[in-house]
Amino acid sequence: MGLETRGLDKRTSERPDKLLPLDGLHRRHGAVMRSFAGFAMPLQYGSGLVAECRSVRTGVGIFDVSHMGWVSLYGGAAFLSEHCPVEIERLAPNRMAYTQVLNPGGGIIDDCLVGWDGQRGCVDAVFNAANVERVLAHLGGVAPGGVRIQTHEGAMVAVQGPEAAQALAPHIEDLESLGFLDFADRCVGEADVRVARAGYTGEDGFELAGDKDALEGLVEALVENGARLCGLGARDALRLEAGLCLHGQDISEEVTPVEAGLTFSIPRHRRHGEGYAGAEVVRAQLDQGVPRSLLGFRLEGKIAARSGCEVQDAGGRLVGGVTSGSFSPTLGYPVGMALLSEALEVGDRLGCVVRGKVLEGVVTALPFVAHRYHRAKRKG
Amino acid sequence: MNMRHYTKNHEWISWDGETATVGITDHAREALGGIVHVDLPQEGRQIARDEDVGVIESVKTASELYAPVSGMVTVLNGAVLENPEHLDDLEQELWLFKMTVSDEQELAGLMDEQAYQAFVAAS
């Protein structure tokens, strides 16, 4: 079988992989490791990807996301707002927002969560592992004097699923005051840990960043109580089910947030405004429409159309290409996202060309699996 | 017990002198994660060594299946075609189809168990 050609076990570069802070934990728990973005990462554990996805949808799953690039910018809120559609200064303290770092053409250099840390007086951002060097080089190259960028070491884990809050409650105080996209510093054992109610699965959950030993102890305690360790394979299937883009596949420097269906993440006053890189392109695309858009689709049968497959309309004409595709363990059928010409809408038939055969499907609204984020009850 | 031979593509073949049984190794099955569909060559088809003869579709990947030796396909594992999702829980190693062997010498060119385990450990 073509295991090797699919890159499952292969290193992507000659540089030896960096080890995650929790590398020993993964190996103790029987992880199959794979090279990803320069790190040796757990692809899946012994119980397998399907069981891992099920745990996140029905219980608790834990992901090591220490490879992600967590940075703090001091004196850089106004500066960063010139490169993202989100205006950082308008965020309430300890609130995060999903946004993108754009190039002048509106293309997405990376997507990220940003938050305003009122106590430290800095903007925190979490970038994709594969992009953090590129983003920091881009921002560093245009940053005015006085902006200081600090990168964080340590571990980061995501605890995800409908029972995540319940599982963490014995270990971390006052989680109930955090709603989706809120963050705060909390104690885990003796250590201060950054706790954000966020994730990449569509479920309620938390991302915890900080001291390696404290987080390793916490993960072991959670696993002891029935939480399941989950690898990159489950993470990718879950984010696709939740309709969440992956940079480098669904979005890139060639794709704008409007084309990618991310207009929801652009504050209203900036959709037709200016003041950030790519604003003119965003405005023009919102006014005049886009030549192509990122849409969801599902297929009949069991075979998925993977990234790179051609997509045809009902008449057999080439209308785009698949950017992400997977069998959905939760739904039991293949789903995917594709960049398609604007003529296609939800409900339209399409075909994906897989190994010379056309697989029939239909354009489907995103997300495939509904989000179940925790909305905090707010005063007023 | 018949000796098992292994390919670098993670197939195994076991030959009793008349009929050979072909499957994929546990290492491959575990690496795939969540098999959802299997395509096998038709019964009666002549297949050549290293020819692409089928596909194993899992949640995350589609992996081609290659013929370990040349011969004719005689029997397919129907249970695999009907209920591929049960393959992850299978206790024994997974067999996919049976075939005749045209040239015994081709078997000698494959790895034995020990060589395959060393190959997996090094990859």
Side-chain angles (χ1 to χ4, degrees):
Chain A
M1 326 185 21
L3 276 189
E4 311 299 337
T5 58
R6 296 288 158 178
L8 266 172
D9 297 317
K10 275 290 171 199
R11 277 223 281 275
T12 48
S13 79
E14 292 307 306
R15 224 172 0 170
D17 287 329
K18 286 180 272 186
L19 297 185
L20 296 170
L22 303 186
D23 184 78
L25 179 141
H26 302 310
R27 292 175 198 273
R28 279 201 304 282
H29 287 274
V32 176
M33 304 297 282
R34 173 204 173 174
S35 176
F36 179 80
F39 287 87
M41 299 282 300
L43 178 65
Q44 62 176 358
Y45 300 80
S47 54
L49 175 156
V50 174
E52 292 169 18
C53 289
R54 196 185 308 123
S55 286
V56 172
R57 292 279 180 243
T58 62
V60 198
I62 305 171
F63 302 83
D64 188 339
V65 291
S66 306
H67 63 304
M68 302 287 285
W70 174 21
V71 305
S72 296
L73 278 89
Y74 290 86
F79 155 69
L80 192 57
S81 300
E82 292 167 11
H83 297 271
C84 298
V86 160
E87 247 179 308
I88 320 288
E89 308 93 300
R90 292 203 183 197
L91 290 176
N94 292 80
R95 281 286 293 164
M96 298 187 299
Y98 169 75
T99 192
Q100 308 86 31
V101 178
L102 300 184
N103 66 28
I108 300 169
I109 298 172
D110 199 11
D111 62 342
C112 56
L113 286 177
V114 294
W116 172 243
D117 184 334
Q119 277 184 323
R120 290 197 188 87
C122 61
V123 178
D124 273 21
V126 179
F127 296 109
N128 284 298
N131 296 337
V132 64
E133 277 182 38
R134 162 100 186 84
V135 173
L136 292 183
H138 175 78
L139 293 177
V142 290
V147 174
R148 189 167 65 82
I149 300 176
Q150 177 198 0
T151 58
H152 295 267
E153 301 299 322
M156 198 183 311
V157 297
V159 181
Q160 300 282 300
E163 293 172 9
Q166 197 186 322
L168 284 169
H171 307 279
I172 305 176
E173 285 191 336
D174 189 26
L175 289 174
E176 58 272 27
S177 67
L178 299 176
F180 181 56
L181 294 182
D182 289 338
F183 68 92
D185 288 327
R186 292 279 192 272
C187 283
V188 172
E190 303 284 294
D192 263 349
V193 166
R194 168 63 53 91
V195 180
R197 198 154 198 165
Y200 196 41
T201 61
E203 298 296 331
D204 185 21
F206 300 84
E207 291 181 342
L208 314 168
D211 181 70
K212 174 222 169 231
D213 293 329
L215 289 176
E216 182 155 358
L218 175 65
V219 170
E220 290 286 16
L222 293 173
V223 170
E224 184 88 359
N225 279 311
R228 199 189 293 272
L229 286 164
C230 303
L232 279 180
R235 184 168 159 84
D236 192 50
L238 290 161
R239 69 90 195 165
L240 178 58
E241 290 180 342
L244 301 173
C245 294
L246 174 60
H247 194 278
Q249 278 188 219
D250 312 300
I251 54 177
S252 68
E253 290 212 45
E254 317 305 317
V255 178
T256 72
V258 184
E259 290 172 320
L262 301 174
T263 305
F264 73 88
S265 69
I266 308 175
R268 278 177 205 287
H269 70 279
R270 275 193 148 191
R271 288 182 195 172
H272 296 279
E274 47 194 28
Y276 63 97
E280 283 137 52
V281 176
V282 165
R283 189 172 58 223
Q285 289 188 338
L286 286 171
D287 287 342
Q288 294 152 31
V290 285
R292 55 186 190 160
S293 14
L294 189 67
L295 295 172
F297 65 88
R298 61 171 291 186
L299 296 178
E300 288 159 15
K302 297 282 185 189
I303 298 173
R306 316 280 173 182
S307 170
C309 288
E310 286 185 354
V311 180
Q312 304 176 345
D313 67 9
R317 281 177 312 161
L318 179 66
V319 290
V322 175
T323 56
S324 285
S326 173
F327 186 84
S328 161
T330 306
L331 300 169
Y333 52 76
V335 298
M337 290 199 265
L339 263 178
L340 300 177
S341 62
E342 58 175 337
L344 287 193
E345 292 174 7
V346 169
D348 285 347
R349 304 287 306 172
L350 55 69
C352 294
V353 184
V354 177
R355 298 184 289 275
K357 285 183 203 152
V358 179
L359 306 180
E360 299 281 327
V362 62
V363 180
T364 308
L366 296 171
F368 301 105
V369 174
H371 298 162
R372 295 192 289 177
Y373 300 133
H374 179 80
R375 310 286 174 184
K377 295 181 188 78
R378 292 191 187 284
K379 294 178 196 119
Chain B
M1 202 182 144
N2 306 317
M3 188 172 151
R4 284 231 180 146
H5 305 271
Y6 295 83
T7 73
K8 288 186 174 175
N9 295 317
H10 307 281
E11 292 101 6
W12 56 261
I13 179 166
S14 129
W15 192 50
D16 65 7
E18 220 169 292
T19 305
T21 306
V22 177
I24 62 169
T25 65
D26 281 348
H27 168 76
R29 191 167 49 146
E30 282 160 19
L32 287 175
I35 297 171
V36 297
H37 178 86
V38 176
D39 266 345
L40 296 177
Q42 284 194 326
E43 286 174 12
R45 177 172 154 189
Q46 289 288 342
I47 58 177
R49 183 178 63 177
D50 296 335
E51 186 184 343
D52 172 1
V53 295
V55 174
I56 300 194
E57 184 92 17
S58 67
V59 171
K60 291 315 306 165
T61 52
S63 298
E64 288 83 3
L65 182 70
Y66 299 100
V69 298
S70 308
M72 188 182 74
V73 178
T74 54
V75 181
L76 304 186
N77 184 346
V80 163
L81 297 172
E82 281 159 31
N83 293 309
E85 60 273 21
H86 295 157
L87 298 181
D88 292 331
D89 309 321
L90 210 64
E91 293 288 328
Q92 72 272 37
E93 279 218 306
L94 176 61
W95 77 274
L96 297 172
F97 61 89
K98 294 178 189 290
M99 65 183 293
T100 65
V101 175
S102 312
D103 179 2
E104 239 180 278
Q105 289 306 311
E106 287 183 353
L107 288 168
L110 300 175
M111 289 178 275
D112 62 14
E113 165 94 38
Q114 201 180 355
Y116 175 71
Q117 294 305 343
F119 168 73
V120 166
S123 67

